Coordinates of all heavy atoms in Angstrom, one line a residue:
M1174 N 0.8 -1.2 0.0 CA 0.0 0.0 0.0 C 0.9 1.2 0.0 O 1.8 1.4 0.8 CB -0.9 0.0 1.3 CG -1.8 1.1 1.4 SD -2.8 0.9 2.9 CE -3.9 2.3 2.7
S1175 N 0.7 2.1 -0.9 CA 1.5 3.3 -1.0 C 0.7 4.5 -0.6 O -0.6 4.5 -0.6 CB 2.0 3.5 -2.4 OG 1.0 3.7 -3.3
I1176 N 1.4 5.5 -0.2 CA 0.7 6.8 0.2 C 1.0 7.8 -0.8 O 2.1 7.9 -1.4 CB 1.3 7.2 1.6 CG1 0.5 8.3 2.2 CG2 2.7 7.5 1.5 CD1 0.8 8.6 3.6
T1177 N 0.0 8.6 -1.1 CA 0.1 9.7 -2.1 C 0.8 10.9 -1.5 O 0.8 11.0 -0.3 CB -1.3 10.1 -2.7 OG1 -2.0 10.7 -1.7 CG2 -2.0 8.9 -3.3
N1178 N 1.3 11.7 -2.4 CA 1.9 13.0 -1.9 C 0.9 13.8 -1.1 O 1.2 14.4 -0.1 CB 2.4 13.8 -3.1 CG 3.7 13.3 -3.6 OD1 4.4 12.5 -2.9 ND2 4.1 13.6 -4.8
K1179 N -0.4 13.8 -1.6 CA -1.4 14.6 -0.9 C -1.7 14.0 0.5 O -1.8 14.8 1.5 CB -2.7 14.6 -1.7 CG -3.8 15.4 -1.1 CD -5.0 15.4 -2.1 CE -6.1 16.3 -1.5 NZ -7.3 16.4 -2.3
Q1180 N -1.7 12.7 0.7 CA -1.9 12.1 2.0 C -0.7 12.4 2.9 O -0.9 12.6 4.1 CB -2.1 10.6 1.8 CG -3.4 10.2 1.2 CD -3.5 8.7 0.8 OE1 -2.5 8.1 0.4 NE2 -4.6 8.1 0.9
L1181 N 0.5 12.3 2.3 CA 1.7 12.6 3.1 C 1.7 14.1 3.6 O 2.0 14.3 4.8 CB 2.9 12.3 2.3 CG 4.3 12.6 2.9 CD1 4.4 11.7 4.2 CD2 5.4 12.4 2.0
M1182 N 1.3 15.0 2.7 CA 1.2 16.4 3.1 C 0.2 16.6 4.2 O 0.4 17.4 5.2 CB 0.9 17.3 1.9 CG 2.1 17.3 0.9 SD 3.6 17.9 1.6 CE 3.2 19.6 1.9
E1183 N -0.9 15.9 4.2 CA -1.9 16.0 5.2 C -1.4 15.5 6.5 O -1.7 16.0 7.6 CB -3.2 15.3 4.8 CG -4.3 15.4 5.8 CD -4.9 16.8 6.0 OE1 -4.6 17.7 5.2 OE2 -5.5 16.9 7.1
L1184 N -0.7 14.3 6.5 CA -0.1 13.8 7.7 C 0.9 14.7 8.3 O 0.9 14.9 9.6 CB 0.5 12.4 7.4 CG -0.4 11.3 7.2 CD1 0.4 10.1 6.7 CD2 -1.2 10.9 8.4
I1185 N 1.7 15.3 7.5 CA 2.7 16.3 8.0 C 2.0 17.5 8.6 O 2.4 18.0 9.7 CB 3.7 16.7 6.9 CG1 4.5 15.5 6.5 CG2 4.5 17.9 7.3 CD1 5.4 15.7 5.3
R1186 N 1.0 18.0 7.9 CA 0.2 19.2 8.4 C -0.4 18.9 9.8 O -0.3 19.7 10.7 CB -0.9 19.6 7.4 CG -1.6 20.8 7.8 CD -2.8 21.1 6.9 NE -3.9 20.2 7.1 CZ -4.7 20.3 8.1 NH1 -4.6 21.2 9.0 NH2 -5.7 19.4 8.2
M1187 N -1.0 17.7 9.9 CA -1.7 17.3 11.2 C -0.7 17.2 12.3 O -0.9 17.6 13.4 CB -2.5 16.0 11.0 CG -3.8 16.2 10.2 SD -4.9 17.4 10.9 CE -5.3 16.7 12.5
E1188 N 0.5 16.6 12.0 CA 1.5 16.4 13.0 C 2.0 17.8 13.5 O 2.2 18.0 14.7 CB 2.7 15.6 12.4 CG 3.8 15.4 13.4 CD 3.5 14.5 14.6 OE1 2.5 13.7 14.5 OE2 4.1 14.7 15.7
G1189 N 2.2 18.7 12.6 CA 2.6 20.1 12.9 C 1.5 20.8 13.8 O 1.8 21.5 14.7
Y1190 N 0.3 20.6 13.4 CA -0.8 21.1 14.2 C -0.8 20.6 15.6 O -1.0 21.4 16.6 CB -2.2 20.8 13.5 CG -3.4 21.2 14.3 CD1 -3.8 22.6 14.3 CD2 -4.1 20.3 15.0 CE1 -4.9 23.0 15.0 CE2 -5.2 20.7 15.7 CZ -5.6 22.0 15.7 OH -6.7 22.4 16.4
M1191 N -0.6 19.3 15.8 CA -0.6 18.7 17.1 C 0.6 19.2 17.9 O 0.5 19.5 19.1 CB -0.5 17.2 17.0 CG -1.8 16.6 16.4 SD -3.2 16.8 17.5 CE -2.8 15.7 18.8
V1192 N 1.8 19.3 17.3 CA 2.9 19.9 18.0 C 2.7 21.3 18.5 O 3.0 21.7 19.6 CB 4.2 19.8 17.1 CG1 5.4 20.6 17.7 CG2 4.6 18.3 16.9
G1193 N 2.1 22.1 17.6 CA 1.8 23.5 18.0 C 0.8 23.5 19.1 O 0.9 24.4 20.0
M1194 N -0.2 22.7 19.1 CA -1.2 22.6 20.2 C -0.6 22.3 21.5 O -0.8 22.9 22.5 CB -2.3 21.6 19.8 CG -3.5 21.6 20.8 SD -4.7 20.3 20.5 CE -5.4 20.8 19.0
V1195 N 0.3 21.3 21.5 CA 1.0 20.8 22.7 C 1.8 22.0 23.3 O 1.8 22.3 24.5 CB 1.9 19.6 22.4 CG1 2.9 19.3 23.5 CG2 1.0 18.4 22.2
E1196 N 2.6 22.6 22.4 CA 3.5 23.7 22.9 C 2.7 24.9 23.4 O 3.1 25.5 24.4 CB 4.4 24.1 21.8 CG 5.4 23.1 21.3 CD 6.3 22.6 22.5 OE1 6.7 23.4 23.4 OE2 6.5 21.3 22.6
T1197 N 1.6 25.2 22.8 CA 0.7 26.3 23.3 C 0.1 25.9 24.6 O 0.1 26.8 25.5 CB -0.4 26.6 22.3 OG1 0.2 27.0 21.0 CG2 -1.3 27.7 22.8
I1198 N -0.4 24.7 24.8 CA -0.9 24.3 26.1 C 0.1 24.4 27.2 O -0.1 24.9 28.3 CB -1.5 22.9 26.0 CG1 -2.8 22.9 25.1 CG2 -1.8 22.3 27.4 CD1 -3.3 21.5 24.7
I1199 N 1.3 23.9 26.9 CA 2.4 24.0 27.9 C 2.7 25.4 28.3 O 2.9 25.7 29.5 CB 3.6 23.2 27.4 CG1 3.3 21.7 27.4 CG2 4.9 23.5 28.3 CD1 4.4 20.8 26.7
I1200 N 2.8 26.3 27.3 CA 3.1 27.7 27.6 C 2.0 28.3 28.5 O 2.3 29.0 29.5 CB 3.2 28.5 26.3 CG1 4.5 28.1 25.5 CG2 3.2 30.0 26.5 CD1 4.6 28.6 24.1
L1201 N 0.8 28.0 28.1 CA -0.3 28.6 28.9 C -0.4 28.1 30.3 O -0.6 28.8 31.3 CB -1.7 28.3 28.2 CG -1.9 29.1 26.9 CD1 -3.1 28.6 26.2 CD2 -1.9 30.6 27.1
L1202 N -0.2 26.7 30.5 CA -0.2 26.2 31.8 C 1.0 26.6 32.6 O 0.8 26.9 33.8 CB -0.2 24.6 31.7 CG -1.5 24.0 31.2 CD1 -1.4 22.5 30.9 CD2 -2.6 24.3 32.2
R1203 N 2.2 26.8 32.0 CA 3.3 27.3 32.8 C 3.0 28.8 33.2 O 3.4 29.2 34.4 CB 4.6 27.3 31.9 CG 5.2 26.0 31.9 CD 6.5 26.1 31.1 NE 7.3 24.9 31.2 CZ 8.1 24.5 30.2 NH1 8.3 25.2 29.2 NH2 8.8 23.3 30.4
K1204 N 2.4 29.5 32.4 CA 2.1 30.9 32.7 C 1.0 30.9 33.9 O 1.2 31.7 34.8 CB 1.5 31.6 31.5 CG 1.2 33.1 31.7 CD 2.5 33.8 31.6 CE 2.1 35.3 31.5 NZ 3.3 36.1 31.5
K1205 N 0.1 30.0 33.8 CA -1.0 30.0 34.8 C -0.5 29.4 36.2 O -0.8 30.0 37.2 CB -2.2 29.2 34.3 CG -3.3 29.2 35.3 CD -4.5 28.6 34.7 CE -5.7 28.7 35.6 NZ -7.0 28.2 35.0
L1206 N 0.3 28.3 36.1 CA 0.7 27.6 37.3 C 2.1 28.0 37.8 O 2.4 27.7 38.9 CB 0.6 26.1 37.1 CG -0.8 25.6 36.7 CD1 -0.7 24.1 36.5 CD2 -1.9 25.9 37.7
G1207 N 2.9 28.5 36.9 CA 4.2 28.9 37.3 C 5.3 27.9 37.0 O 6.4 28.2 36.6
Y1208 N 5.0 26.6 37.2 CA 5.9 25.5 37.1 C 5.2 24.3 36.7 O 4.1 24.0 37.2 CB 6.7 25.3 38.4 CG 7.6 24.1 38.3 CD1 8.8 24.1 37.6 CD2 7.2 22.9 38.9 CE1 9.6 23.0 37.6 CE2 8.0 21.8 38.9 CZ 9.2 21.8 38.2 OH 10.0 20.7 38.1
L1209 N 5.8 23.5 35.7 CA 5.2 22.2 35.4 C 6.3 21.2 35.5 O 7.4 21.4 34.9 CB 4.7 22.2 33.9 CG 3.4 23.0 33.6 CD1 3.1 22.9 32.2 CD2 2.3 22.4 34.5
P1210 N 6.1 20.1 36.3 CA 7.1 19.1 36.4 C 7.4 18.4 35.1 O 6.5 18.3 34.2 CB 6.5 18.1 37.4 CG 5.5 18.9 38.1 CD 5.0 19.9 37.2
K1211 N 8.6 17.9 34.9 CA 8.9 17.2 33.6 C 8.0 16.1 33.3 O 7.6 15.9 32.1 CB 10.4 16.8 33.7 CG 10.9 16.2 32.4 CD 12.4 16.2 32.4 CE 12.9 15.7 31.1 NZ 12.8 16.7 30.0
D1212 N 7.5 15.3 34.3 CA 6.7 14.2 34.0 C 5.3 14.7 33.5 O 4.7 14.0 32.6 CB 6.5 13.3 35.2 CG 5.8 14.0 36.4 OD1 6.2 15.1 36.7 OD2 4.9 13.3 37.0
V1213 N 4.8 15.8 33.9 CA 3.6 16.4 33.4 C 3.7 16.8 32.0 O 2.9 16.6 31.1 CB 3.0 17.5 34.3 CG1 1.8 18.2 33.7 CG2 2.7 16.9 35.7
I1214 N 4.9 17.5 31.7 CA 5.1 17.9 30.4 C 5.2 16.7 29.4 O 4.6 16.7 28.3 CB 6.4 18.7 30.3 CG1 6.2 20.1 31.1 CG2 6.9 19.0 28.9 CD1 7.5 20.9 31.3
T1215 N 5.8 15.6 29.9 CA 5.9 14.4 29.1 C 4.5 13.9 28.8 O 4.2 13.5 27.7 CB 6.8 13.4 29.8 OG1 8.1 13.9 29.9 CG2 6.9 12.1 29.0
K1216 N 3.7 13.8 29.8 CA 2.3 13.3 29.6 C 1.5 14.2 28.7 O 0.7 13.7 27.9 CB 1.6 13.2 31.0 CG 2.1 12.1 31.8 CD 1.3 12.0 33.1 CE 1.9 10.9 34.0 NZ 1.2 10.6 35.2
I1217 N 1.7 15.5 28.7 CA 1.0 16.4 27.8 C 1.5 16.0 26.3 O 0.7 15.9 25.4 CB 1.3 17.8 28.1 CG1 0.5 18.2 29.4 CG2 0.7 18.7 27.0 CD1 0.9 19.5 30.0
H1218 N 2.9 15.9 26.2 CA 3.4 15.5 24.9 C 2.9 14.2 24.3 O 2.7 14.0 23.1 CB 4.9 15.5 24.9 CG 5.6 16.8 24.7 ND1 5.7 17.4 23.5 CD2 6.2 17.6 25.6 CE1 6.3 18.6 23.7 NE2 6.6 18.8 24.9
D1219 N 2.6 13.3 25.2 CA 2.1 12.0 24.9 C 0.6 11.9 24.7 O 0.1 10.8 24.3 CB 2.6 10.9 25.9 CG 4.1 10.7 25.9 OD1 4.8 11.1 25.0 OD2 4.6 10.2 26.9
S1220 N -0.1 13.0 25.0 CA -1.5 13.0 24.9 C -2.0 12.9 23.5 O -1.4 13.4 22.5 CB -2.1 14.2 25.6 OG -1.8 14.2 27.0
D1221 N -3.2 12.4 23.3 CA -3.8 12.4 22.0 C -4.7 13.6 21.8 O -4.8 14.4 22.7 CB -4.7 11.1 21.8 CG -5.8 10.9 22.7 OD1 -6.3 12.0 23.2 OD2 -6.3 9.8 22.9
G1222 N -5.3 13.8 20.6 CA -6.0 15.0 20.3 C -7.2 15.2 21.2 O -7.5 16.3 21.6
D1223 N -7.9 14.1 21.6 CA -9.0 14.3 22.5 C -8.6 14.8 23.9 O -9.3 15.7 24.5 CB -9.8 12.9 22.7 CG -10.5 12.5 21.4 OD1 -10.8 13.4 20.6 OD2 -10.7 11.3 21.3
E1224 N -7.5 14.3 24.4 CA -7.0 14.7 25.7 C -6.5 16.2 25.7 O -6.8 17.0 26.6 CB -5.9 13.8 26.2 CG -6.3 12.4 26.6 CD -5.2 11.5 26.8 OE1 -4.1 11.6 26.1 OE2 -5.3 10.6 27.6
L1225 N -5.9 16.6 24.6 CA -5.5 18.0 24.4 C -6.7 18.9 24.3 O -6.7 20.0 24.9 CB -4.6 18.1 23.2 CG -3.3 17.4 23.2 CD1 -2.6 17.5 21.9 CD2 -2.4 17.8 24.3
N1226 N -7.7 18.5 23.6 CA -8.9 19.3 23.6 C -9.6 19.4 24.9 O -10.1 20.4 25.3 CB -9.9 18.7 22.6 CG -9.5 19.0 21.1 OD1 -9.0 20.1 20.9 ND2 -9.8 18.1 20.2
E1227 N -9.5 18.3 25.8 CA -10.0 18.4 27.1 C -9.3 19.4 28.0 O -9.9 20.2 28.7 CB -10.0 17.0 27.8 CG -11.1 16.1 27.4 CD -12.4 16.6 27.8 OE1 -12.6 17.0 29.0 OE2 -13.3 16.6 26.9
L1228 N -7.9 19.5 27.8 CA -7.1 20.5 28.5 C -7.5 21.9 28.1 O -7.7 22.8 28.9 CB -5.7 20.2 28.3 CG -5.0 19.1 29.0 CD1 -3.5 18.9 28.6 CD2 -5.0 19.3 30.5
I1229 N -7.7 22.1 26.8 CA -8.1 23.4 26.3 C -9.5 23.8 26.8 O -9.7 24.9 27.3 CB -8.0 23.4 24.8 CG1 -6.6 23.3 24.3 CG2 -8.7 24.7 24.2 CD1 -6.4 23.0 22.8
T1230 N -10.4 22.9 26.7 CA -11.8 23.2 27.1 C -11.9 23.5 28.6 O -12.7 24.3 29.0 CB -12.7 22.0 26.7 OG1 -12.6 21.7 25.3 CG2 -14.1 22.2 27.1
N1231 N -11.1 22.8 29.4 CA -11.2 23.0 30.8 C -10.0 23.8 31.4 O -9.8 23.8 32.6 CB -11.1 21.6 31.5 CG -12.4 20.8 31.1 OD1 -13.5 21.1 31.7 ND2 -12.3 19.8 30.3
F1232 N -9.4 24.6 30.6 CA -8.2 25.4 31.0 C -8.6 26.2 32.2 O -7.8 26.3 33.2 CB -7.8 26.3 29.8 CG -6.6 27.2 30.2 CD1 -5.3 26.6 30.3 CD2 -6.8 28.5 30.5 CE1 -4.3 27.4 30.7 CE2 -5.7 29.3 30.9 CZ -4.5 28.8 31.0
F1233 N -9.7 26.9 32.2 CA -10.1 27.7 33.4 C -10.5 27.0 34.6 O -10.7 27.6 35.7 CB -11.2 28.7 32.9 CG -10.7 29.7 31.9 CD1 -11.1 29.6 30.6 CD2 -9.8 30.7 32.2 CE1 -10.7 30.4 29.6 CE2 -9.4 31.6 31.2 CZ -9.8 31.5 29.9
N1234 N -10.5 25.7 34.5 CA -10.8 24.8 35.7 C -9.5 24.2 36.2 O -9.6 23.4 37.2 CB -11.8 23.7 35.4 CG -13.1 24.3 34.9 OD1 -13.6 25.3 35.4 ND2 -13.7 23.6 33.9
I1235 N -8.4 24.5 35.7 CA -7.1 23.9 36.1 C -6.4 24.9 37.0 O -6.1 26.0 36.6 CB -6.3 23.6 34.9 CG1 -6.9 22.5 34.0 CG2 -4.9 23.2 35.3 CD1 -6.3 22.2 32.7
Y1236 N -6.1 24.4 38.2 CA -5.4 25.2 39.2 C -4.2 24.5 39.8 O -3.3 25.2 40.4 CB -6.3 25.6 40.4 CG -7.5 26.4 39.9 CD1 -8.7 25.8 39.7 CD2 -7.4 27.8 39.6 CE1 -9.8 26.5 39.2 CE2 -8.5 28.5 39.2 CZ -9.7 27.9 39.0 OH -10.8 28.6 38.5
T1237 N -4.1 23.2 39.5 CA -3.0 22.4 40.1 C -2.5 21.4 39.1 O -3.2 21.1 38.1 CB -3.4 21.7 41.4 OG1 -4.4 20.7 41.1 CG2 -3.9 22.7 42.4
E1238 N -1.4 20.8 39.4 CA -0.9 19.7 38.6 C -1.9 18.5 38.5 O -2.2 17.9 37.5 CB 0.4 19.2 39.2 CG 1.0 18.0 38.5 CD 2.2 17.5 39.2 OE1 2.9 18.3 39.9 OE2 2.5 16.3 39.1
E1239 N -2.6 18.3 39.7 CA -3.6 17.2 39.8 C -4.7 17.5 38.8 O -5.3 16.6 38.3 CB -4.1 17.0 41.2 CG -3.0 16.5 42.2 CD -2.0 17.5 42.6 OE1 -2.3 18.7 42.6 OE2 -0.9 17.1 42.9
D1240 N -5.1 18.8 38.7 CA -6.2 19.1 37.8 C -5.8 18.8 36.3 O -6.7 18.3 35.6 CB -6.5 20.6 37.9 CG -7.1 21.0 39.2 OD1 -7.7 20.2 39.9 OD2 -7.0 22.2 39.5
I1241 N -4.6 19.0 36.0 CA -4.1 18.6 34.6 C -4.3 17.1 34.4 O -4.8 16.7 33.4 CB -2.6 19.0 34.4 CG1 -2.5 20.5 34.5 CG2 -2.1 18.5 33.1 CD1 -1.0 21.0 34.5
L1242 N -3.9 16.4 35.4 CA -3.9 14.9 35.3 C -5.3 14.3 35.2 O -5.4 13.2 34.8 CB -3.1 14.3 36.4 CG -1.6 14.7 36.5 CD1 -0.9 14.1 37.7 CD2 -0.9 14.3 35.2
K1243 N -6.3 15.1 35.6 CA -7.7 14.6 35.5 C -8.0 14.5 34.0 O -8.9 13.7 33.6 CB -8.6 15.6 36.1 CG -8.6 15.7 37.6 CD -9.7 16.7 38.0 CE -9.4 17.2 39.4 NZ -10.3 18.4 39.7
Y1244 N -7.4 15.3 33.1 CA -7.8 15.3 31.7 C -6.9 14.5 30.8 O -7.2 14.3 29.6 CB -7.9 16.8 31.3 CG -8.8 17.6 32.1 CD1 -8.4 18.5 33.0 CD2 -10.2 17.4 32.0 CE1 -9.3 19.2 33.8 CE2 -11.1 18.1 32.8 CZ -10.6 19.0 33.7 OH -11.5 19.7 34.5
I1245 N -5.7 14.1 31.3 CA -4.8 13.3 30.5 C -4.5 12.0 31.2 O -4.5 12.0 32.4 CB -3.5 14.1 30.1 CG1 -2.8 14.5 31.4 CG2 -3.8 15.2 29.2 CD1 -1.5 15.2 31.1
H1246 N -4.3 10.9 30.5 CA -4.2 9.6 31.1 C -2.8 9.0 30.8 O -2.2 9.1 29.9 CB -5.3 8.7 30.6 CG -6.6 9.3 30.7 ND1 -7.3 9.3 31.9 CD2 -7.4 9.9 29.9 CE1 -8.5 9.9 31.8 NE2 -8.6 10.3 30.5

């Protein structure tokens, strides 16, 4: 099974979108909480799109590291 150039470009675009989303979430959470432990940052990087959307949707309900962990597994 081969992949077309168009499909490859779409995969690259989506990967870039996800990386940007992760970096933005980390910046915002660091600004809000002041500090994020390395293990939490790793969990955010390892999160899927649904978990990242949960973090974004519930951003104003996050006050602690434990609150972050409620939305990512």
Side-chain angles (χ1 to χ4, degrees):
M1174 179 179 188
S1175 65
I1176 188 168
T1177 66
N1178 284 340
K1179 186 176 180 179
Q1180 290 169 325
L1181 180 60
M1182 292 302 292
E1183 180 64 17
L1184 287 171
I1185 292 169
R1186 186 187 71 75
M1187 287 303 298
E1188 181 66 26
Y1190 175 77
M1191 293 295 289
V1192 169
M1194 185 185 292
V1195 165
E1196 293 305 317
T1197 300
I1198 290 168
I1199 290 170
I1200 289 168
L1201 291 172
L1202 289 170
R1203 279 185 173 153
K1204 185 78 169 176
K1205 184 172 185 175
L1206 304 178
Y1208 172 77
L1209 289 178
K1211 188 162 183 70
D1212 64 314
V1213 172
I1214 292 172
T1215 299
K1216 287 182 181 185
I1217 293 170
H1218 275 284
D1219 293 342
S1220 296
D1221 64 24
D1223 290 336
E1224 291 169 328
L1225 295 174
N1226 283 327
E1227 282 296 311
L1228 283 175
I1229 292 168
T1230 302
N1231 292 288
F1232 179 77
F1233 293 108
N1234 299 323
I1235 296 173
Y1236 299 99
T1237 66
E1238 176 185 336
E1239 290 78 26
D1240 292 336
I1241 295 169
L1242 298 176
K1243 288 181 201 173
Y1244 302 108
I1245 56 177
H1246 308 283

